[in-house]
């Protein structure tokens, strides 16, 4: 709390010095206490100039997603009230799952600057190099029946697409169920994990990975032609902390709409961003390969397909590939 107050006072002075005496007077603590806090801020990567005569001068914040940087700009009530930040971690989803089992509350968020074992859907890995991207997992405890959980993934996909749009001006498309694409290349992915009983959800972990400031050459060969980043698409770097706060705000907003009003609005927003109607697709689902045309997404998030023989099929999970052709 005192760190936040010191930073606020220093930032308010623009590039002028503020004396240690003035800070200690305003915060009602000793000058030694201020000196100790400034040193600890410097150890976190804050650049603060110190002069015996003039006091302290703020130069620059570290480019980190630490709570001290994210919280002051975050306008949420629930998501991110508590942020668990890690410089490196195995996977933010695994950590959030562990914390939720220990009783972490709804809205707690795990953030990391890099992941050593970032996990994607269907057992894939999620490439997670340091300081370039967003790796974030949110703990939710919705009081809804477990069969409605896939709708929370749609909520997350809509919120992620919206946050990307708000902070970069780019217009992403959603690929069922929850890939976020720009120019048909993947820019963000969502891994939702659930802990439930037959009739109630204990918690859901929403893991969101967004490729933010990576250059093309940073992607391993296997992803280079199928993945992209906001920087590649926009041509300039995007502020990770602004994007993260947009993400948590949009997620909170859509989550509240969904809990209050049901799935209507969320399905409408999802359909607008997914534009799947009439697309021919190939989908691998539970060992079966299905080819058909997308009719719609059902009220529980399942994909409705029209097969080549005219029959309809509902698909609840799978790996989807577009085949470029349109239904008459
Ligand atoms: C996908 O396969 O599209 C889902 C990717 C999800 C990646 C995110 S990064 C933050 C969170 N922690 C993980 O280990 N995975 C998710």
């Amino acid at each position: 709390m005192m760190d936040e107050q010191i930073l606020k006072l220093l930032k308010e002075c623009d590039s002028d010095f503020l004396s240690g005496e003035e800070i200690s007077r305003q915060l009602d603590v000793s000058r030694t206490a201020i000196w100790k806090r400034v040193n600890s801020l410097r150890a976190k990567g804050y650049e603060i100039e110190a002069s015996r005569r003039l006091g302290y001068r703020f130069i620059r914040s570290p480019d980190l997603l630490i709570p001290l940087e994210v919280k002051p700009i975050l306008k949420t009530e629930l998501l991110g009230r508590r942020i668990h930040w890690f410089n490196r971690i195995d996977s933010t989803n695994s950590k959030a799952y562990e914390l939720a089992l220990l009783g972490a509350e709804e809205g707690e968020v795990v953030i990391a600057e890099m992941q050593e074992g970032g996990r994607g859907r269907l057992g894939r890995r999620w490439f997670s190099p340091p300081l370039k991207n967003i790796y974030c997992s949110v703990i939710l405890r919705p009081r809804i029946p477990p069969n409605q959980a896939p709708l929370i993934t749609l909520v997350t996909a809509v919120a992620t697409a919206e946050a990307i749009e708000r902070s970069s001006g780019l217009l992403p498309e959603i690929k069922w169920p929850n890939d976020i694409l720009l120019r048909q290349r993947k820019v963000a992915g969502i891994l939702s994990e659930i802990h439930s009983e037959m009739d109630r959800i204990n918690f859901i972990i929403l893991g969101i990975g967004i490729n933010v400031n990576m250059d093309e050459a940073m992607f391993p060969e296997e992803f280079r032609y199928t993945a992209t980043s906001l920087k590649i698409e926009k041509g300039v770097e995007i502020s990770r902390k602004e994007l993260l706060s947009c993400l948590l705000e949009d997620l909170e907003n859509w989550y509240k709409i969904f809990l209050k009003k049901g799935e209507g609005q969320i399905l409408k927003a999802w359909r607008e961003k997914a534009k799947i109607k009439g697309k021919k697709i190939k989908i691998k689902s539970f060992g079966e390969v299905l080819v058909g045309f997308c009719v719609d997404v059902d009220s529980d998030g399942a994909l409705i397909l029209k097969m080549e023989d005219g029959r309809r099929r509902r698909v609840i999970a799978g790996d989807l590939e577009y085949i470029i052709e349109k239904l008459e």
Side-chain angles (χ1 to χ4, degrees), residues 147-151 154 263 267 297-303 314 316:
N147 66 353
Q148 283 190 15
L151 287 165
L154 300 193
E263 72 276 10
L267 287 172
V297 61
D298 219 344
S299 58
D300 59 357
L303 189 67
R314 271 169 44 87
I316 52 163

Side-chain angles (χ1 to χ4, degrees), residues 91-93 115 117-121 126 135-137 179 186 189-191 207-209:
S91 149
T92 55
N93 261 39
Q115 297 184 116
R119 296 190 280 115
R121 285 177 62 234
W126 186 257
Y135 317 113
C136 151
S137 299
D179 285 354
K186 187 152 163 174
I190 295 158
L191 177 67
I208 304 154

Side-chain angles (χ1 to χ4, degrees), residues 97-201:
Y97 203 96
E98 194 183 305
L99 290 169
L101 284 176
L102 292 171
E105 283 178 23
E106 167 153 278
E108 290 192 26
V109 168
V110 179
I111 310 273
E113 303 295 346
M114 76 171 283
Q115 297 184 116
E116 283 164 334
R119 296 190 280 115
R121 285 177 62 234
L122 309 167
R124 299 197 183 107
R125 76 184 176 110
W126 186 257
F127 183 59
S128 312
L131 303 167
K132 291 285 167 190
N133 299 325
I134 287 180
Y135 317 113
C136 151
S137 299
V138 178
I139 299 169
L140 293 182
R141 296 186 182 273
R143 287 199 208 105
I144 56 170
N147 66 353
Q148 283 190 15
L151 287 165
I152 302 273
T153 306
L154 300 193
V155 164
T156 315
V158 168
T160 306
E162 199 171 276
I164 289 176
E165 188 177 334
R166 271 209 298 144
S167 55
S168 69
L170 296 162
L171 280 178
E173 195 176 297
I174 301 175
K175 185 173 137 193
W176 184 88
N178 47 19
D179 285 354
I180 313 292
L181 310 182
L182 283 167
R183 266 192 320 128
Q184 298 307 314
R185 292 170 181 224
K186 187 152 163 174
V187 70
I190 295 158
L191 177 67
S192 338
E193 295 180 293
I194 184 168
H195 185 278
S196 81
E197 289 157 35
M198 289 300 277
D199 54 355
R200 62 167 247 169
I201 294 174

Side-chain angles (χ1 to χ4, degrees), residues 106-328:
E106 167 153 278
E108 290 192 26
V109 168
V110 179
I111 310 273
E113 303 295 346
M114 76 171 283
Q115 297 184 116
E116 283 164 334
R119 296 190 280 115
R121 285 177 62 234
L122 309 167
R124 299 197 183 107
R125 76 184 176 110
W126 186 257
F127 183 59
S128 312
L131 303 167
K132 291 285 167 190
N133 299 325
I134 287 180
Y135 317 113
C136 151
S137 299
V138 178
I139 299 169
L140 293 182
R141 296 186 182 273
R143 287 199 208 105
I144 56 170
N147 66 353
Q148 283 190 15
L151 287 165
I152 302 273
T153 306
L154 300 193
V155 164
T156 315
V158 168
T160 306
E162 199 171 276
I164 289 176
E165 188 177 334
R166 271 209 298 144
S167 55
S168 69
L170 296 162
L171 280 178
E173 195 176 297
I174 301 175
K175 185 173 137 193
W176 184 88
N178 47 19
D179 285 354
I180 313 292
L181 310 182
L182 283 167
R183 266 192 320 128
Q184 298 307 314
R185 292 170 181 224
K186 187 152 163 174
V187 70
I190 295 158
L191 177 67
S192 338
E193 295 180 293
I194 184 168
H195 185 278
S196 81
E197 289 157 35
M198 289 300 277
D199 54 355
R200 62 167 247 169
I201 294 174
N202 294 325
F203 58 82
I204 294 180
I205 306 297
L206 295 175
I208 304 154
I210 309 180
N211 299 332
V212 187
N213 288 324
M214 279 170 58
D215 295 315
E216 214 157 81
M218 289 172 188
F219 283 103
E221 190 75 21
E222 53 183 306
F223 303 129
R224 200 159 298 157
Y225 307 101
T226 51
T228 190
S229 76
L230 297 182
K231 184 181 173 200
I232 295 170
E233 299 304 317
K234 181 83 183 169
V236 290
E237 294 224 338
I238 299 290
S239 157
R240 290 188 308 145
K241 66 180 177 199
E242 299 284 343
L243 174 57
L244 177 63
S245 58
C246 282
L247 176 67
L248 296 176
E249 281 160 30
D250 291 342
L251 189 54
E252 174 165 306
N253 186 26
W254 280 107
Y255 180 53
K256 282 185 177 164
I257 293 176
F258 169 65
L259 291 183
K260 254 195 215 139
K261 303 192 175 156
E263 72 276 10
Q265 282 189 43
I266 192 70
L267 287 172
K268 183 168 176 281
W270 191 91
R271 285 181 186 118
E272 276 166 18
K273 292 189 193 299
K275 303 186 198 96
I276 51 161
K277 261 195 187 153
K279 278 192 182 146
K280 190 173 185 187
I281 59 144
K282 183 159 110 185
I283 188 160
K284 287 187 205 131
S285 176
F286 300 108
E288 207 183 355
V289 178
L290 305 165
V291 176
F293 291 95
C294 296
V295 178
D296 204 350
V297 61
D298 219 344
S299 58
D300 59 357
L303 189 67
I304 307 173
L305 273 189
K306 186 171 178 194
M307 309 298 288
E308 291 182 310
D309 62 7
R311 279 179 310 134
R312 289 196 172 200
R313 281 279 298 258
R314 271 169 44 87
V315 186
I316 52 163
D319 204 13
L320 180 150
E321 220 179 277
Y322 288 131
I323 302 173
I324 312 300
E325 239 179 276
K326 272 262 180 183
L327 187 63
E328 312 289 287

